[in-house]
Amino acid sequence: MCGIVGYLGKNEKKEILLDGLQELEYRGYDSAGIAIIEDKKLKNFKAVGRLQNLREKTKDYLSNGFGVSIGHTRWATHGKPTELNAHPHMGAYSFVVHNGIIENYQALKEELQEDGVQFLSQTDTETIVHLFEKNYNSNSNAWQSFQETIAKLEGAYATLLITEADEESIYFAKNGSPMLIGFNGDDIYFASSDTPIIGKATEVYYLEDGEFGFAKNGKVTLFDSNGEKSFSTQALATNKAMAQKDGFRFFMEKEIYEQSQVMNDTMMGRLLEDRVDFEELDEKLFENIDNIKICACGTSYHSALTGSYLLERVAKIPCQVEIASEFRYKKPLLNERTLFITISQSGETADTLEALKMAKRAGLKSLSICNVDNSSIVRESNGAILTRAGIEKGVASTKAFATQTMVLWMLTLYVAQIKKTISQEQLNAELEAMRHTPKALLVTDKLHSKMTRLSKRYLHGHGFFFIGRDLFFPLALEGALKLKEISYLHAEGYPAGEMKHGPIALADSELFTIALMPKTLHYDKIKSNVEELCARDATVLAISPEPFELADDFVQTIYYTHPMLEFFEMMVITQLLALEISVRLGNDVDMPKNLAKSVTVE
Ligand code: AGP
């Protein structure tokens, strides 16, 4: 997720901006920049990589006197991490920073290019500043031009704009991405979250979606679709560590709650009215391809397994999944009609990267599904689809897994469209289910408090089985890994139909079974598997839309119109279970022992 800061006032601006961006580093970024207007002089600096590079570039610059200023840390979604793509983006006499995704930017860009506008970057953001200047060049009214610009944007944005056309104002607008305004006397601050302004501002106003306005002469004038509106500020938090977690106890907890929102970003611009589109892919990648091999590790392997069920069932293309550390040494038989897909949150996992290099040496075309642009795996692949989950701080992966799975679901439809293995009617049904995913991912207070209460019963025992069938087998594997990783209790995921081939010998009241019992896929089969366990006195936590009397504990789900909606809702439940058990055991949820966020060694 990108980070935004802004400042209007008489204090030195460069340090305020850089310190503010430093506080946003935890959101992850790959480039950064600042822009300042004071006594009619426009200054801007950009740098790729760490913020230190930007500090280096600006070390001989200091601003003084009244001015307006904006800064940005960029997490690439459209366009590679380069200086040209770094914000602030400049027009002829204005600068803009933006967090979010402008869904209709292509159409706006084409319109502007037809008017002769030259674009420097590949980003969606640059359309904002050129649109503003096109409006200003015709009406010479900066505020009206800004309003007309915002009215044309579709999608998610938190944006700040400064311009020589009105060098005493900062224009702002918020819709779908976070932004707040800080106050301290005549000093006015803008930021994506609290931490950049803690210790600077004393009062804060959290902008709502659809609000916009301008800051001028130490005052903020606020509007929404009904016109100008009054607003009241509140005292600003003082604890930076808590603020980075937005008030959650752990980054992992925050990231479980973020899944609903980031899923909108993952789908944005890709989930269209009647089809799926990946503007970053060339359909030629799929020419002469008659099967797919997906290679990954850990949680990414689980999303790969999930994707394999979807690709075979819906896109009708054979799909094999490999654990990268196994694949590397098994002397695999490879042929050029196989598309080699790697999945990696970090894009730096050594085993996955080496497996990818093996496939490339064998002449296979490659596609990566990754959360970090310009990472080693992305750079090594012929094509890449970014999951847009934003930085994932918790070592135990949650939103990265959810967005990987969504990308694989969208890729399934994309391949089915190319290979014409799906009717428009079936495609529409899939797209409709997809649109409900953010709802299925919502964490309600009722659900979270239920999982907190339940967790007290699962703190001992001689182990856990997570069981499921079909798509819910990889989810069972993932639920078991989540629990193992952060509670240090032994758990394994198992195909439900396999329990009778050995593991059921373990069944007794101290064997905890988490049973994933979806209504839309083989319910009767999974039900009888769970009944076999109950008959042998295993302790069962059933997760299902259908009440299951034999369960010792039961969590009722509500989204059961499509297997993938059941999948995502049950995924959240297993994540919360692992979190709350780990909390009760007093573990470090975000930094579990022996684990690293990115395994760059064999
Ligand atoms: C998942 O919770 C773990 N942190 C781990 O299994 C991880 O998924 C695995 O190391 C792969 O990492 P990657 O997605 O960055 O390649």
Side-chain angles (χ1 to χ4, degrees), residues 561-582:
T561 53
H562 190 285
M564 287 309 293
L565 294 181
E566 294 204 85
F567 181 100
F568 284 116
E569 187 177 6
M570 292 189 187
M571 176 195 75
V572 171
I573 292 166
T574 58
Q575 291 168 342
L576 292 173
L577 179 66
L579 169 73
E580 292 305 329
I581 289 175
S582 176

Side-chain angles (χ1 to χ4, degrees), residues 395-414:
V395 166
S397 188
T398 50
K399 62 178 184 172
F401 173 71
T403 53
Q404 287 167 356
T405 304
M406 175 52 79
V407 166
L408 284 160
W409 187 8
M410 290 193 285
L411 183 66
T412 295
L413 302 185
Y414 184 77

Side-chain angles (χ1 to χ4, degrees), residues 13-249:
K13 286 158 262 324
K14 177 191 78 172
E15 290 306 326
I16 289 175
L17 296 177
L18 292 178
D19 290 348
L21 293 178
Q22 193 92 34
E23 293 298 339
L24 293 174
E25 278 200 306
Y26 71 91
R27 298 163 71 90
Y29 66 101
D30 42 52
S31 57
I34 62 173
I36 294 167
I37 300 179
E38 62 174 31
D39 55 44
K40 299 196 185 316
K41 275 202 302 295
L42 267 175
K43 286 297 286 180
N44 86 301
F45 304 88
K46 297 182 182 183
V48 174
R50 310 304 303 160
L51 212 45
Q52 189 50 39
N53 302 341
L54 187 57
R55 283 190 185 282
E56 194 50 40
K57 278 198 167 184
T58 58
K59 66 181 186 311
D60 301 327
Y61 169 76
L62 275 181
S63 73
N64 49 41
F66 173 81
V68 292
S69 58
I70 56 179
H72 186 270
T73 46
R74 179 172 183 255
W75 179 280
T77 54
H78 289 82
K80 292 290 178 200
T82 62
E83 269 197 37
L84 272 184
N85 287 334
H87 303 207
H89 284 292
M90 183 172 181
Y93 46 84
S94 316
F95 282 105
V96 71
V97 292
H98 159 242
N99 178 17
I101 294 174
I102 305 297
E103 211 169 341
N104 62 330
Y105 88 95
Q106 291 281 28
L108 295 173
K109 184 169 180 174
E110 281 155 25
E111 216 176 285
L112 290 160
Q113 286 172 321
E114 278 157 24
D115 292 344
V117 172
Q118 295 296 318
F119 278 75
L120 294 176
S121 79
Q122 305 160 298
T123 67
D124 52 339
T125 303
E126 197 181 346
T127 51
I128 301 174
V129 70
H130 292 311
L131 195 51
F132 169 78
E133 293 190 350
K134 175 185 173 186
N135 293 333
Y136 183 77
N137 294 342
S138 68
N139 65 29
S140 304
N141 178 322
W143 170 232
Q144 184 186 334
S145 302
F146 184 72
Q147 292 179 86
E148 289 171 3
T149 301
I150 296 306
K152 280 206 152 183
L153 302 184
E154 293 169 18
Y157 50 82
T159 186
L160 298 176
L161 184 140
I162 57 176
T163 175
E164 277 185 331
D166 177 3
E167 58 178 356
E168 294 180 346
S169 297
I170 296 181
Y171 293 103
F172 63 87
K174 188 257 190 243
N175 191 51
S177 294
M179 188 153 69
L180 52 83
I181 308 176
F183 300 81
N184 187 349
D186 287 341
D187 291 332
I188 293 179
Y189 300 85
F190 292 88
S192 303
S193 65
D194 294 331
T195 44
I197 64 171
I198 289 177
K200 298 185 177 79
T202 52
E203 293 289 309
V204 64
Y205 175 70
Y206 297 94
L207 286 164
E208 300 287 340
D209 284 352
E211 292 185 333
F212 57 96
F214 57 89
K216 186 164 191 166
N217 303 329
K219 186 172 161 307
V220 165
T221 308
L222 185 68
F223 297 79
D224 65 13
S225 54
N226 300 319
E228 186 172 348
K229 63 187 292 188
S230 61
F231 63 95
S232 49
T233 61
Q234 62 190 77
L236 179 66
T238 53
N239 176 333
K240 282 187 184 177
M242 274 305 278
Q244 281 196 1
K245 295 176 194 144
D246 283 344
F248 290 101
R249 296 165 293 176

Side-chain angles (χ1 to χ4, degrees), residues 297-300 343-347 349 352 395-397 404 481-482 485 596-597 599:
C297 302
T299 285
S300 298
I343 301 180
S344 174
Q345 184 280 132
S346 63
T349 300
T352 310
V395 166
S397 188
Q404 287 167 356
L481 177 61
K482 271 320 69 88
E485 278 190 293
K597 185 59 187 168
V599 184

Side-chain angles (χ1 to χ4, degrees), residues 267-283:
M267 295 191 289
M268 198 163 283
R270 294 164 170 170
L271 176 51
L272 307 181
E273 188 60 37
D274 59 353
R275 71 190 193 286
V276 164
D277 184 40
F278 287 105
E279 63 168 1
E280 59 268 60
L281 292 189
D282 180 340
E283 286 194 9

